[in-house]
Amino acid sequence: KKKSSKSKRRSKGDFDDDDEIHASADHQQSDDDAPTKGKRKAAHQSADYYKAKKEFERHRDDIPAHIPRHIKEGFREIGFTKWGKTFLPVIQLSPFDIEPGKTRNQWMKMFEHCRMKRRPMTVLIYWYGVAWEHRWDSYSFIPKNKFHSYEEGVSKGFNILPPKIEKKMQSRKILSIVEEQQINGLAQLEEELERPKEDRIKWMTQFNEKYEDLAADFASDEES
């Protein structure tokens, strides 16, 4: 008696299992064929970041060589400058003490203009006592001779609150904006005097350079 030569008929489930296996193999093959779009993008972003970082560091390290010595030595020096009829506490800054933006760009333009015209540079100062959220109103450019050293200011009593303000505080009268700035500024100045130059205005320098923002953007892209 002959045995049946019919092959076993596959069920629907058999087809589904085979299809899934083949689909999985095809997907794996496509992953291994070439770098993914994400990997290519990451490599491109990394190159942009290091290029921007290198350019910034070159720029930052090149500028001091062209700044007059008496200006460089004044960076982070504390003193006083006249505002109206009042001498208020200030600190001299370098362009890299402040975050990227309008004020730094103004310093760069002033620097290049003075180099080309061979004119004396002005000094960038920060007015102590201004609320941090209003910091863009706390920077000024002044002639170097309008900055009075801390020692000179002390000899003239600039570090002491005027009796008029003391009386207003005691009687709890409303203070003017400048009077409040003078009170807060002198308190800030006393704190800063206890620190070496390199540790002053630490609260002001907690910002990212533009190339560091690139790195943050890349990290955000990878997470998403």
Side-chain angles (χ1 to χ4, degrees):
K1 186 177 181 180
K2 282 188 176 181
K3 292 183 180 180
S4 173
S5 61
K6 290 183 179 180
S7 62
K8 185 180 177 182
R9 185 175 181 181
R10 294 200 301 170
S11 67
K12 184 176 182 296
D14 293 332
F15 281 110
D16 289 343
D17 290 343
D18 288 347
D19 289 345
E20 185 177 350
I21 292 170
H22 289 300
S24 177
D26 290 343
H27 179 69
Q28 184 65 41
Q29 186 177 6
S30 66
D31 284 347
D32 294 339
D33 282 344
T36 64
K37 184 178 180 181
K39 290 179 181 178
R40 291 196 298 270
K41 183 178 180 182
H44 176 70
Q45 289 174 335
S46 178
D48 286 346
Y49 166 76
Y50 285 109
K51 181 180 178 181
K53 181 176 185 290
K54 186 175 181 180
E55 178 62 22
F56 167 77
E57 291 175 343
R58 184 198 63 76
H59 182 60
R60 180 199 60 196
D61 297 341
D62 178 63
I63 282 181
H66 305 286
I67 299 176
R69 183 176 177 181
H70 72 285
I71 298 291
K72 281 189 292 188
E73 290 178 346
F75 290 159
R76 299 200 184 185
E77 281 288 344
I78 291 173
F80 299 88
T81 295
K82 196 172 186 179
W83 178 271
K85 296 180 180 180
T86 307
F87 282 90
L88 299 176
V90 299
I91 184 169
Q92 295 183 56
L93 302 175
S94 84
F96 301 105
D97 284 329
I98 59 174
E99 59 199 289
K102 181 180 177 181
T103 304
R104 186 189 289 185
N105 292 341
Q106 287 177 327
W107 190 97
M108 294 298 173
K109 289 179 181 178
M110 176 274 296
F111 170 69
E112 292 298 339
H113 178 77
C114 291
R115 278 187 70 191
M116 289 177 62
K117 301 293 183 179
R118 295 186 178 181
R119 292 179 179 177
M121 287 179 61
T122 53
V123 175
L124 173 62
I125 61 166
Y126 172 80
W127 299 90
Y128 281 124
V130 177
W132 183 237
E133 57 267 27
H134 300 142
R135 61 188 177 280
W136 296 115
D137 296 324
S138 64
Y139 302 115
S140 294
F141 291 87
I142 62 170
K144 178 68 174 177
N145 62 5
K146 297 297 182 182
F147 175 87
H148 301 268
S149 70
Y150 175 76
E151 292 74 19
E152 180 186 352
V154 168
S155 70
K156 296 180 179 180
F158 297 159
N159 64 319
I160 300 172
L161 285 175
K164 178 184 175 182
I165 296 180
E166 293 278 11
K167 289 180 181 179
K168 288 181 76 172
M169 291 173 65
Q170 290 171 3
S171 60
R172 297 185 179 181
K173 289 184 178 180
I174 297 175
L175 299 166
S176 70
I177 293 175
V178 174
E179 288 171 340
E180 287 186 347
Q181 181 180 332
Q182 188 171 13
I183 294 168
N184 296 332
L186 288 174
Q188 250 184 336
L189 175 144
E190 292 301 323
E191 292 176 2
E192 291 274 81
L193 281 171
E194 298 178 3
R195 304 180 179 114
K197 276 187 177 183
E198 61 271 18
D199 290 335
R200 290 173 183 168
I201 60 166
K202 283 287 186 181
W203 37 270
M204 186 189 296
T205 57
Q206 305 303 309
F207 57 80
N208 281 350
E209 293 295 347
K210 289 183 179 179
Y211 76 87
E212 292 174 310
D213 284 335
L214 279 177
D217 290 343
F218 299 160
S220 178
D221 288 346
E222 288 177 359
E223 288 175 2
S224 60

